[in-house]
Amino acid sequence: MDKAIVRLGTVLLAGFVVVALALGYWQVAAAPGLVDGPYNPRLLAEAARTERGRILDRTSKVLVDNAPAGQGSKRVYALPAAVHVTGYFSPRYGAAGLEQRFDDYLSGARAPSLVDRVRDRLLHERRRGSDLVLTLDARVQAVAAEALGERRGAIVALDPRSGAVLALASAPGFDPNTLDQDWSALQRSEGDPFFNRALQATYTPGSTFKIVTATAAVDLGLVDLDQPFACSKPVAIDLLQVDCRNNAHVPNLTFQQAFAWSSNRTFALAGLALGFPGPMNRWLTDEPPEPYPWKTRGIAASAARLEEYAGRFGFGRSLPFDLPVSISRLKTQPEWTADLLGQTAFGQGQLAETPLQAALSAAAIANGGRLPAPYLVAEARGPDGTVQRLHEPGEDALEQVMSPATAARLQAFMVESVERGYAGKAALVGVQVAGKTGTAEVGAGRTPHAWFVGYAPADKPVVAVAAILEHQGSGSDFAAPAAREVLAAALRR
Amino acid sequence: MPVDVLVLLLRLSMVAVLYLFLVALVAMLRRDLVRQVEAPPEPEGAGTLVVLDPGPTPLRRGQTLPLRPTTSLGRDEQNVIVLADTFASARHAVLTWREGRWWLRDLQSTNGTYVNQQSVRGEAALEAGDVIGIGSVRLKLSP
Amino acid sequence: MSDRASWGWRWRELLLLGFPCAMLLLGWLSIDLARTGAPDPALWTRWLVFVGLVLGTHGWLAWRYPSADQGLLPIGAALTALSLVVVERLVPALADRQLAWLALALGAMVLALSLLPSIRWLHPWQYTWALAGLGLVGLTFVAGVDPNGSGARLWLGFGDALFQPSEALKLLLVLFFASYLDDKRELLAWGGPRWGRLRTPPLPYLAPLLVMLALCLGVVILQRDLGAALLYFCLFLALLYVASGRASYVALGLGGLLLGGALMERLFDHVRVRVAMWLDPWSDAAGRGYQVIQALVAFASGGVLGSGLTYGYPGYIPAVHTDFVIAAIGEELGLIGSLGTVALYMLWLHRGLAIALTRRSSFSTLLAVGLTSAISLQALVILGGTLRLIPLTGITLPFVSYGGSSLLVNFLMLGLLLAVSAERPVDRHG
C-alpha cells in the first residue's frame, strides 16, 4: 500500500507542478498578448483612469484637451479641421490618427523614465500621459481646411528646409467631438470622411509631375535651355497622340516656356529622349530627324533614368512619417512601353501620387535639391516637464535629388509658371511664388482633378504646398487659388 | 510615508509572510524526515509456514512454505499457497505483513479459519509459533 | 510533527499559526488603506475574532489531541486567511458572513472530534455514509435552490444560509470508499479474470462500490454539477489504486472517464459547450468563452507582482469569488501570490500522505489518503479548469473560495485527518 500511496502522491504533486507551470505561462509568458489583446476590458478601465496627454500645435496652442465627463474625462478637439492629424480617441470606437499612433506617449505607457513606469505599475497612481507638440500650425491648418471647403481633396503644407508639416488637411472630414453620435452616419456617408486623402489617397499627378521629368532632363544636362524649338503639331508615339494644345499661343518656345505652358508633347518626347546623349532639343521640334532614337534603340535607358529620378523624389518607396503614408507609384504594369513612358513623362499614364509626395517634390526644389524628411510630432513633454525631442528639424534629409544648380533652374521654371504661365492664380503680392499646376485626366467624361504644387518665397523658401481638388477642373482655376491662401497664411506667420 | 507606498509594502509583506510560512513548514517537514531516516528500518515481511498436517493436500508434513508480503491461501489455483482440501474455500484467507507483524484475515470462508484453534473474525495479528487451521490443514508460522 | 511532542504543548502549531494571522492582518490593512486611506475601525475586531477562533481551536487540540499533526491546522488557517482577504476585496458584504462560517466550521470540527469515539468507529457505517450523502444530494431535486442563477440547483436553503450537499457528499464518499475498500482490499489485489496482460478488477466484489459510485455520479451529473462528478470519480480511482496497488484499474478507470466524457459530450449540450470552450474559448469570446478568457486575461494582467489588492479588475470574471478565486489572487497578488497558494496545497498533500504513510490500520491509511486526495484533487480540478489545462468544471477551491458549506466540510475533513494522525497503533484484534 505504501508504494501506491507514494505513487499517488507523486502523480498529484506532478499535477500541482503542471498547474504552477501553467500559472507561469499565463501570467508571464503569454501575458503580453492577452493584456494587449482585444478581450481585455481592463485597458478601457485603465484608460479612463489615465490623464491623457494633450496635443499642441507649434505655438503651443491646444489642439486636443481633456474635459471632465461623468466619472472620467473626455477628449475635446479644439480644431476639428485637424481631425485627420489628431485622429480621435473613443472608448467605443477605438482610436485613429496620432491618438492611435502615439498612444503609448499620450496614455503614459511610454513614460519618460523607468522609475515612473515602475512607480506606475506598483503604486497604482493615476497615470498621466505626455503632451505631444506638433509642427502643425493651427492657423495654416484652419486656412487649408477652409480652402478645401466642401470640396473633396487635400492640402499639405510643410517647411521645405526641415520637413516640418505645417498643415495637413483632407476633405471631407468630420467632427471628432461628436464621433460617438455620428458614427453610423459617418460610416454611411459618401466620400469616406475617415479617409486621410493627404497621406493615403494616390492621384494621377497631371502636369505637376513635369517637375520630375524636367529635373531629370536638366540635371543630366540633356537639354539646351537657351535654344527654342517649334511645337505646333501633334506627334504619334505608338498608339498615343500628343498635341501642343497647352502652348498653342506660344508655338516657338524654350524648355522653360514648355514647362510654364505645360506642353505635353514636349514632355512626352523629353521623357522618351532621357536615355540618349543630349541635347534633346532636336527631337522636341515639329520636324525631328528620322529615325527617332527610341524607335531604333528602345526605351529601356530612358525609362531607367525617369525611374531613377522619380525614385529620388520618393516614388516607389514608403516615406518615413508619423502617420501611415501610401506609396506613390510610376506605373502598375510590369513593363514599360513607349506610349506609357511618354504619358508618364507629362503626368498621366498609370502614375499615382499622394499629396504629401507632391508637396515633398516641391520642397526638394525649394531646399536646393535636397528632399527633406517630413515629420509632424516635434516632441513629447512628460508630465514632470521632461522634454523628449522626437525629431530634430532637417537632421535627416532623405535624399539629394538633384544638384543645387538644377534646383535653381527648376525654380526659375516654376517662377515663370506662376508669373507668366498657367500657375498665375497662385501669385502673391510682394512675394515671389514658384509653382506648377496640374490638370489630371481621370477618364473620359469625368471632370479632371485640379493640382497645384509650389512654394514661397522663391528666393528664400519657408513653405511648400501641394493642393488637390478632386474632379474640380483645371489646376489653374481651382487648385492654384486654394494653394495661394495656404501660402499666404503660412507666410504671415 | 505616502499611503500608496504603505499599501504596496503591506501587500508585498503579506505575500512574504506566506512564503515565510511555507519555508517554516518545509523546514519542519525536513526535520521530521531526517528523524524518520534515522529511525531503525523495520524488518521486511519474511517468514515461512511449516506444514504440521497436510490433510488431504499433496503438501508434505514438515515442508516449509515461504511467505510473500501478501500471501493468499485457498483452493483456487491463483493462490500463493494452494490448499487442495474440499473444506477450504476457493479464496479462503490471506496473510499480510503490516506494521512489523503478520496479519491473518479470513475472507468469509465457508468453514472458517482458525488460529490456535480459535476462529478468526475479521483480522487477527499473529505471533511466531501460532498455528493456522484451514480445513484439516495445520500450518505453523515461523519467523 | 506527528510524534508525541515530548514537551506537551503544541508549540510548532502555535508558531505556524502566527503566519496566517499576520497574512490576514496585512491583507486587510492593505485593502482598507487602498480604499479609504485608513483602516476601518472594525478591522481589528474582526481580525481578533479570526485570531481567537484559530487559537481557540489550537488550544482545544493541545488539550484533547496533543499528538495530532501540527502542520494541518496552520495550512487550513493560511488558506482561510487568503480566502478572507479575497472575499473582503471582492464582496466586502460577504466577508463577515465568511468569518461566521469559519466559526461554525471550526466549531463543527471540534464538536465532531469530541464526539468521535475512535477512527475505527466510522468503519462499519459505510452504507449509512453513502446513503446519507446520496439522500442529501437527492434533496436538491426536491428543494434545491439556485441562488446565483448558474442554471444548476445545487444548494439547500436554510433560512438565510445555503448549504451545498455535494460538498458533504465528498466527505461521506471518502468515508464510504475507505471503509468498503478496507474490507475488500485483498480481494481486489487478487484481481479478476485476465484479458491478455490486463487484469480486470473482480467485478462481483466491486459491485456495491460501483453501484454507489454510479448513483452519486448520476445524481450530480443530473444536477449539472460536473466538477463534483469529476472529483468523485478521481477520488474513487485514487483510493482504488491505493487499496489494490493495481495501476491497471486506474488505466481502466481513466479509459472509462474519457469514454464517459466523450459520451456526455455527445449527449448533453452543456458538456459540449464546456469542451468547445476549453479547446477554443476565443471562438465565442463575448459569450460562452467569456469567463475562461477573462480569467486568463486577469492572470496576464497580474504579471509577477500583481496589480495590488483593489487595484485590479477581477470583477470582470463571473463567479470570481467562488470558482474563479485563483484568478483574482493571480491578478491582484500576482504570480507570487498564485504560486504561494498552489504551494499551500502541495504542502497539504505532503502532510496528508505523510500521515497516511505512518503505519496504522489499513482503514486509517485509506481514510487519510482519501481525505488528503479529496482536497488536492478538488484544487486540481478547479485550478486546471481555470488555467485551461482541462475543461472547466465548476467547483470551489477548497478553503479559499467563498462558500460556507465548502468551508465547513473542508474543516471537518481536516479534523478527521488530525484524528487519524493522533491515532496510536491499533490493537491485536482491530
Side-chain angles (χ1 to χ4, degrees), chain C residues 163-300:
Chain C
F163 188 80
Q164 195 172 3
S166 60
E167 290 283 353
L169 184 55
K170 172 177 71 179
L171 169 58
L172 295 168
L173 271 184
V174 170
L175 292 175
F176 170 68
F177 287 154
S179 32
Y180 185 91
L181 288 170
D182 181 46
D183 284 347
K184 303 289 189 289
R185 203 157 64 82
E186 288 82 5
L187 293 170
L188 292 171
W190 252 316
R194 273 173 186 279
W195 287 353
R197 295 186 57 188
L198 193 70
R199 192 184 285 275
T200 59
L203 285 179
Y205 297 111
L206 277 178
L209 192 63
L210 291 175
V211 167
M212 195 56 73
L213 178 71
L215 279 174
C216 292
L217 289 184
V219 166
V220 287
I221 287 172
L222 277 179
Q223 286 287 46
R224 297 188 165 201
D225 194 349
L226 298 176
L230 184 60
L231 170 63
Y232 298 162
F233 192 77
C234 292
L235 184 60
F236 166 72
L237 285 187
L239 280 171
L240 182 64
Y241 173 65
V242 170
S244 69
R246 284 190 180 275
S248 56
Y249 296 177
V250 179
L252 274 176
L254 288 178
L257 179 68
L258 287 180
L259 216 67
L263 197 70
M264 285 181 31
E265 205 229 331
R266 290 282 165 85
L267 287 179
F268 301 117
D269 274 341
H270 65 279
V271 181
R272 191 165 22 221
V273 168
R274 291 293 173 90
V275 174
M277 287 306 112
W278 170 54
L279 293 173
D280 183 15
W282 283 275
S283 62
D284 189 8
R288 296 165 301 178
Y290 181 77
Q291 194 179 28
V292 176
I293 290 178
Q294 286 311 318
L296 296 181
V297 175
F299 281 120

Side-chain angles (χ1 to χ4, degrees), chain B residues 26-70:
Chain B
V26 169
M28 289 186 185
L29 291 178
R30 274 182 58 86
R31 212 176 307 161
D32 277 6
L33 213 63
V34 170
R35 195 172 317 150
Q36 268 174 23
V37 168
E38 283 166 355
E42 294 192 35
E44 253 315 301
T48 50
L49 289 179
V50 181
V51 181
L52 297 183
D53 179 354
T57 66
L59 298 171
R60 285 171 290 105
R61 188 185 303 271
Q63 184 181 354
T64 56
L65 307 168
L67 291 177
R68 300 194 199 154
T70 301

